[in-house]
Every structure is written in C-alpha cells, then in structure tokens.
Amino acid sequence: MVEKRDMRDTIRQHPASASSSNPPLFPGLTFSLPSFPERPQCWSVISPSSTSKTTFLEVLQGQHICIPPSGRSFPYLLTDDVAAKDPHLRVPTRAIRYVGFNSASSTAGSSGTRGAYLSARYESRREDTDFSLLDYLKGNTSLNASEDVVDSREIVKKEGTLREVVQQLRLEALLDLPVGNLSNGQTRRARIAKALMSAPEALLLDEPFMGLDPPTTSTISSLLCNLAVANSPRIILGLRPQDLLPQWITHLVYLDSDHNVSQLGPREVVLNALQALWRPASLPNKPRAVASKPKSADQSATISSSQDGNQLKHSPSKLSVEQAPADNNQETLIEMSGVEVKYGEKQVLGAWEQMVDGQPQKGLWWTVKRGSRWGIFGPNGSGKTTVLSLICSDHPQTYSLPIKLFGRSRLPTPGQPGISIFDLQSHIGHSSPEVHAFFPRELTIRQTLENAWADTFRGKALLSHENDVVVDACLRWFERELNPAFSGPDPADPVQQAKATKHRSRSGKHVEVYLERDIDWADSVRFGEVSVAAQKVALLLRALIKKPDVVILDEAFSAMDAATRDKCMTFLAHGESVYRKKRDAASQTLMSTLANVGKVAIAGLEARQALICVSHLAEEVPDLVTEWMCLPEPNEGNAVRFGTRVNSGRRNRKWWNAIWEL
C-alpha cells in the first residue's frame, strides 16, 4: 500500500538544498506496507523522540518533500478497487488517517468542541456549541452546517458503522455527553472512533495508549488487533519505549532521536537486536508486551495473541476500606467529608459507602496532610480529574460540597471568611492536560515559568529578585530540554558543570567560581514553538517553581522520553542538588557541581509540601509517592480503596499490581 525505496536523502521538510535547518529525514529508508499480505503485518514505530516518531508517520501519510517524487508511492490507492469504494481515497492524506495523542491540540476539542475556559466542562448549563459525542462522531459540529444532499444508502452505511464503532469502543453511555465533559481517556477513545468513521485504508495512531488505564488499554488493544487482522483498516502504532507493546504487533521500526532508522523488521529480530545493543541490564527501557485477546477467529499464527498476560480482577466489595490514619501533628491542607458530585440524576463521584471511624458513611472521605505524598488512580472516567478540579476550585460544586481547603471553605462560615480563588491559587502548583490545553502558546519559555506568580495565564507576574534567580536556575538546568537550538551534552551533567568551574585566587585564597550559562534564548523561544515534551517540562517547572503548599501533577510526565522523565523526577525530589546520569546499562546518582560550590537555587520537594500525582503508568509515578487512593469504575457500585507503598520504586510493580488488582 505504501512504498518508500532506498533513495538517499529523498525526504526533506522543504525543497531547499541540504542544510543544518533542512537535514535529510531517515536517509537510506526502505519501507513497504503490503495491502493484502499472506500473513498479516502489524507495524509499530518506536522512538524515544516523539518528534522522530511523529515525523516518520507523517512521511507514511505523504507529508514532507520527497525528491524525486518517485521515491515514495502508494500503488494500492491507484487501483480500481479503491476508486470503486471511494474516489476520494486516492488522495494519501484521506486514505491514510493520522491520529495523534501526544499534544494538547490533539483532542476532540481541537475540532471546535472544546470549552471556552477550564470550568466550562463542569457547568450544568449547555451552550449551543457544547456538541455531544454523537454530534462529534457524525461530524455535526457547525452551527450553520451545509445541507448537502446525501444518498440514503450512504446514511444507512454510516449509521451501521457508527453503531459498530461505538459498541467496540464502549462509548454507548457517553453519546449524549458534551465532548468537552469527557475525561482524557474517554476523549482518546472518541478520537479513535472518529477516525474509524471515515473508513480509511490505513490508520496511524501516535501514542494511542497514553493516558489510558490498564483495563481500557487492554480493550483498545484488542479492538485494534481485530481491525489489523481484518485489514480494515491497516494499523500502524507510534509508541514510546516505555509503552506497552501489544502481542499482535509483528513488525517494528526503531528510530533514534536524530531521524535515523536504527532497526527495522520482524518483531523478534528487532527486539533481539535492541537487546544486544542495550544489554540485558538496561532492558527496563525496552518496550513491554501487553496481552490482548483478538475476537477474530480467523487469526494468523504470526500474530497469535498470548493468553498468559495479567488479567484484571474486579473487586466485588461495595464498602471501602478506611483511609490509613494520618499524622495528627501535621496541618490538614485538604479535607473532604462525604463528597458526592452529581449532574442531575447521574452521580460521577462518591457513589459508595466508606468506613470512617469504624462507621459506614456515604461519599468520598479523604484528608491530605502537610508532607504527604499521594497518588490518585482509577479507570478513565472514575473521577480523578473531578477530584482535582474540586481541589483547584475549577468545579462550581466546590462551593456547596463539604470541602475545606487550607482550613477554610470556599464560602464564608460563621466567624471565618471563605478562601478566594487567588488565595487558593497561591497555595497550589498545578500541571495537567487541561492546563496544557488552555495555556497561551504565545508566551516565551521564561514567561511560562514566571507565570507561576501570576493570577491568570495572561496576568502580570509579581516577581522579586529571588524569584528571578530561581527562574534562571531552572532555565539553565533544563536548557537541553527547553531550548530547540541546543546541541551537545546536558549542561546539568556534573562533568559539564565542572568544566564551567574556574579556579581563581582571591585575597590569597584558592576558590572555585562557577561560570553561569547564558539564557537569553528563553526570551525569544515561545511555548508554542517547542515540542510537546518540552511544553510538559515547562509546565512541570511552573507547578514546582514557587514552592506551593500543594503540588498537583496530573499526567505531568506523559509525552516525555525516559531520560527527560527521570531527570524531571530527580529534580522533583532533589532539585539542583543531584543529577541522575545514565551510564550504559545503569543509572548513577551524582552530587551536582552546583551543590559543591553552594550555588543551588532550588531544592527538591520540601517536607512542608504535599504532593498529589495522577498517572496510568507505573513508570510515571514518582518514587516519592507513599500513599494511594484508587477510585472505582463508574456506575458499578464498587467503593474507593486506599493503600500505602513502602520501599517500592517504580521498577517494583507489586504495589502497582495491588492498585489495579492484577
């Protein structure tokens, strides 16, 4: 279906001659996707760089410049079979659909269905532009839609496709909801369904499992397996090394960070080559397999699915275990006493009984103390984002529910004033997909970090000299991740810092002077110009930089490669004092040169600060997390569960299996 022959330097971003700004993409690439192979070929493109992976998928879709044009062809799209099915499918960008999940703009809201502001998704009033999921899937997202004449047979065909897709993706209960009210995982399922509605010949899914809980990941993987086996459509997945690799994937392409193809071929051949390259001790970064059971009986042995994978067990318990007693010596920062969130007759949070002081009580009872480190987990749509919206007061029901934030309610009580939204924001640092979606793209990287001290996204930051010093320190520490023009070793590496340390004599004494790097680039590089991973890093720093009482990290490490994620987690724990360096198969934790010369401007999370983290991947949960709360599957009547994690890092998955009852 798609063929790219080995013609040197044929793919470029624009027609100009080769230069540093227009390097050849994937030189020497030979790739072919058969239309109807004897044995199904199910491909996955894996890369630690989201840019390389996304660019490769764009090349397969027909984007970027191919010189000469004959270097890339789509022979199947020129056949009479495609013309008889739909003449529009002769165009590669229509026949080959790309669906990306690794950017803030890659949401259902990017089609004009996003709310106007953060709180819009939680409000009961529905505007004319709050289109339902059913409208979104049918393409009815315009107020003045054209009245094109459509063949009745085509309508019947689309209705049949709609019913099938909705059932396969478990979207029946969501059809009447506004798209802006869907959770992050539900939105991803909706976007896959939208792509399938156009009946493409091939579907390129860039990080489809990001933000999905384990049960939904298994469900989506099973659905995609059935589609891939039937060639309806052909599926190519774009994954990160830390993502789960479905068992039905038969062929792999592994790309490095410089747009080069490192390995390409059958799954086992590529994995064996990578194993030899990385050595066994470094294999935690190798893609892990997830079992999925295809529903299709006509299944080739080539993609036979393993059935010895972990199976989820659903707890029949209707009554929650009690939250572990908190340290009464610590101040209570967040207190929820029987919280139940309802929209009319639909209850989305707190539909259970929970043990409190030995007695069953309705709703969510939860306390966050100073110094606590919490993880909030649960299936997509279980209410994780709703809980965070109540804490940040983005949810209107915060005013009426039994919630105390920093010792006060939102509304005044006898003898005590309510807490204002500005007081609340001064105590909280927040990074989430919602913040990412609404954050202004025109702000520079420096302004993004300084925005931590502003009342609104576009408000003026109230800065002191100490604040400027901290901002400068973060920009220097993360220059490799935030500056698109940067090349070379990581400036945060103690070896590189040592090179910037000069030995001088002052008043007869031998002293070390650290020469700080220039950071003028941060005043010109805009937030919208950097990669998604860089945007995630910037928003993480924005949440941490002012040392708030509560740090909320909702999917904050998604879209980052493993090295960037580990660096951010080390920074979360230790600030500039410690640097985690990758050495072949192992990681080495080093004391930074800044710590040795007394130049640390920002340390890690302090004992007075509380941390609340939300993630669907064990690798993206900081080792700092010691307590967890797992919200139940919605509308099933199960109760919330609590637990602790003791002496268990990210690579020890026992605690993770306990959360998901694996």
Side-chain angles (χ1 to χ4, degrees):
M1 178 174 175
V2 181
E3 185 177 17
K4 168 66 176 67
R5 293 194 293 272
D6 183 3
M7 300 183 69
R8 300 289 177 177
D9 300 354
T10 57
I11 301 293
R12 297 186 185 279
Q13 296 180 359
H14 49 83
S17 59
S19 66
S20 59
S21 62
N22 187 35
L25 304 175
F26 315 111
L29 170 64
T30 298
F31 177 85
S32 177
L33 177 64
S35 302
F36 299 97
E38 294 182 2
R39 291 186 174 182
Q41 289 191 16
C42 305
W43 286 82
S44 178
V45 181
I46 301 175
S47 176
S49 168
S50 60
T51 303
S52 291
K53 170 170 51 62
T54 301
T55 303
F56 187 91
L57 296 178
E58 291 172 347
V59 169
L60 298 185
Q61 196 188 22
Q63 300 185 45
H64 301 287
I65 304 299
C66 185
I67 305 174
S70 58
R72 175 176 55 192
S73 60
F74 305 88
Y76 176 66
L77 301 185
L78 302 178
T79 62
D80 294 337
D81 292 340
V82 172
K85 184 187 302 183
D86 185 352
H88 294 96
L89 295 180
R90 288 184 177 274
V91 181
T93 53
R94 291 194 176 187
I96 305 174
R97 293 286 184 175
Y98 169 85
V99 183
F101 299 92
N102 57 355
S103 70
S105 60
S106 297
T107 62
S110 64
S111 301
T113 56
R114 190 188 74 172
Y117 45 92
L118 270 173
S119 298
R121 66 183 295 187
Y122 307 111
E123 295 178 350
S124 59
R125 177 181 173 83
R126 290 183 59 172
E127 304 290 345
D128 292 338
T129 53
D130 292 336
F131 300 106
S132 68
L133 174 58
L134 183 60
D135 291 330
Y136 171 70
L137 294 178
K138 290 184 174 181
N140 301 330
T141 55
S142 299
L143 292 178
N144 298 305
S146 61
E147 297 181 359
D148 295 333
V149 177
V150 181
D151 193 300
S152 59
R153 290 171 298 179
E154 187 67 21
I155 296 177
V156 172
K157 179 181 177 181
K158 288 189 175 182
E159 289 292 339
T161 303
L162 176 63
R163 287 193 298 271
E164 181 180 357
V165 168
V166 165
Q167 182 179 10
Q168 289 175 323
L169 287 166
R170 300 191 305 171
L171 295 172
E172 298 97 329
L174 308 175
L175 290 178
D176 293 331
L177 287 179
V179 175
N181 289 19
L182 301 180
S183 70
N184 298 317
Q186 291 167 345
T187 299
R188 281 163 170 74
R189 281 189 280 157
R191 296 196 64 235
I192 294 176
K194 176 67 172 178
L196 293 175
M197 285 296 297
S198 62
E201 292 294 334
L203 189 58
L204 313 179
L205 299 177
D206 200 353
E207 300 186 14
F209 304 132
M210 186 177 71
L212 297 181
D213 59 77
T216 304
T217 297
S218 179
T219 299
I220 296 296
S221 178
S222 178
L223 166 67
L224 297 178
C225 177
N226 295 330
L227 297 174
V229 170
N231 267 0
S232 178
R234 300 150 189 86
I235 303 289
I236 298 181
L237 303 184
L239 300 174
R240 302 170 297 170
Q242 63 264 39
D243 288 333
L244 297 170
L245 181 62
Q247 292 284 1
W248 50 270
I249 292 294
T250 63
H251 290 70
L252 299 176
V253 179
Y254 191 86
L255 311 172
D256 63 20
S257 300
D258 298 321
H259 297 88
N260 295 310
V261 177
S262 176
Q263 299 290 334
L264 183 150
R267 173 193 181 117
E268 295 304 322
V269 174
V270 172
L271 291 182
N272 290 337
L274 294 177
Q275 185 174 9
L277 177 65
W278 290 333
R279 300 195 303 187
S282 65
L283 283 182
N285 286 333
K286 171 184 173 181
R288 295 178 287 110
V290 56
S292 62
K293 181 178 180 181
K295 298 178 182 178
S296 173
D298 185 16
Q299 172 183 327
S300 169
T302 307
I303 69 166
S304 60
S305 178
S306 171
Q307 298 306 311
D308 57 1
N310 293 325
Q311 299 296 320
L312 287 166
K313 295 180 290 185
H314 299 283
S315 171
S317 174
K318 305 295 182 182
L319 191 65
S320 167
V321 296
E322 192 168 359
Q323 178 182 342
D327 185 356
N328 292 326
N329 295 324
Q330 294 292 338
E331 177 188 358
T332 298
L333 300 180
I334 301 168
E335 185 176 7
M336 297 187 179
S337 306
V339 169
E340 297 182 77
V341 177
K342 300 180 180 179
Y343 304 120
E345 297 181 355
K346 181 179 180 180
Q347 187 163 352
V348 297
L349 183 68
W352 59 74
E353 286 190 344
Q354 186 174 333
M355 295 299 295
V356 180
D357 296 330
Q359 298 295 324
Q361 302 286 349
K362 290 185 177 181
L364 174 62
W365 295 72
W366 183 46
T367 301
V368 177
K369 298 276 189 176
R370 274 198 190 277
S372 58
R373 308 287 189 258
W374 279 93
I376 303 179
F377 309 108
N380 297 121
S382 60
K384 301 183 296 296
T385 301
T386 300
V387 171
L388 300 184
S389 69
L390 293 172
I391 296 173
C392 297
S393 201
D394 294 326
H395 201 299
Q397 294 189 31
T398 307
Y399 289 88
S400 59
L401 292 173
I403 301 173
K404 284 192 174 182
L405 305 170
F406 308 99
R408 290 187 285 170
S409 302
R410 283 306 313 273
L411 295 177
T413 57
Q416 189 178 51
I419 185 170
S420 71
I421 185 65
F422 302 109
D423 288 339
L424 192 62
Q425 289 178 346
S426 68
H427 290 286
I428 296 176
H430 185 201
S431 175
S432 70
E434 289 75 27
V435 172
H436 192 185
F438 286 92
F439 198 80
R441 267 49 184 169
E442 69 273 13
L443 296 185
T444 65
I445 296 298
R446 174 180 289 279
Q447 289 172 333
T448 299
L449 271 60
E450 293 175 344
N451 186 256
W453 288 278
D455 291 333
T456 63
F457 287 158
R458 288 185 171 85
K460 181 177 176 59
L462 303 178
L463 300 173
S464 63
H465 172 69
E466 291 76 14
N467 300 150
D468 287 330
V469 171
V470 173
V471 170
D472 291 348
C474 290
L475 292 174
R476 292 190 181 95
W477 192 262
F478 285 95
E479 181 179 1
R480 184 185 67 174
E481 290 75 22
L482 296 176
N483 183 4
F486 178 82
S487 61
D490 188 356
D493 189 329
V495 174
Q496 303 305 315
Q497 291 181 347
K499 294 179 180 179
T501 304
K502 304 300 181 182
H503 300 272
R504 297 178 180 175
S505 296
R506 290 182 179 174
S507 303
K509 295 182 179 180
H510 184 72
V511 297
E512 290 184 338
V513 179
Y514 181 71
L515 303 181
E516 296 178 334
R517 294 177 59 87
D518 178 75
I519 50 175
D520 289 343
W521 57 268
D523 294 316
S524 57
V525 177
R526 300 191 181 278
F527 182 82
E529 297 172 347
V530 299
S531 67
V532 176
Q535 292 174 1
K536 287 283 190 177
V537 172
L539 293 179
L540 173 67
L541 295 176
R542 176 181 175 272
L544 300 175
I545 199 169
K546 66 177 181 181
K547 291 291 181 180
D549 293 315
V550 177
V551 176
I552 298 177
L553 303 180
D554 183 2
E555 301 285 353
F557 303 100
S558 62
M560 296 183 189
D561 59 66
T564 302
R565 178 200 65 210
D566 291 345
K567 181 178 179 180
C568 287
M569 288 189 177
T570 303
F571 186 81
L572 172 67
H574 305 287
E576 297 177 292
S577 302
V578 171
Y579 181 80
R580 185 177 180 182
K581 186 172 184 177
K582 188 79 173 178
R583 288 183 178 272
D584 296 328
S587 295
Q588 183 179 12
T589 302
L590 306 172
M591 184 68 70
S592 72
T593 303
L594 292 176
N596 292 330
V597 300
K599 282 280 189 177
V600 173
I602 181 169
L605 207 64
E606 299 176 0
R608 66 172 183 83
Q609 294 179 277
L611 172 67
I612 301 175
C613 177
V614 174
S615 179
H616 293 97
L617 278 180
E619 291 80 4
E620 294 178 359
V621 180
D623 292 340
L624 294 173
V625 171
T626 57
E627 301 176 87
W628 55 265
M629 173 174 66
C630 185
L631 299 175
E633 183 81 28
N635 305 318
E636 290 195 359
N638 295 328
V640 65
R641 294 182 295 114
F642 296 92
T644 58
R645 180 174 71 161
V646 181
N647 298 326
S648 178
R650 282 173 286 147
R651 295 188 179 184
N652 185 340
R653 301 184 65 85
K654 290 184 179 179
W655 66 276
W656 188 251
N657 294 340
I659 292 173
W660 294 100
E661 299 184 305
L662 295 174

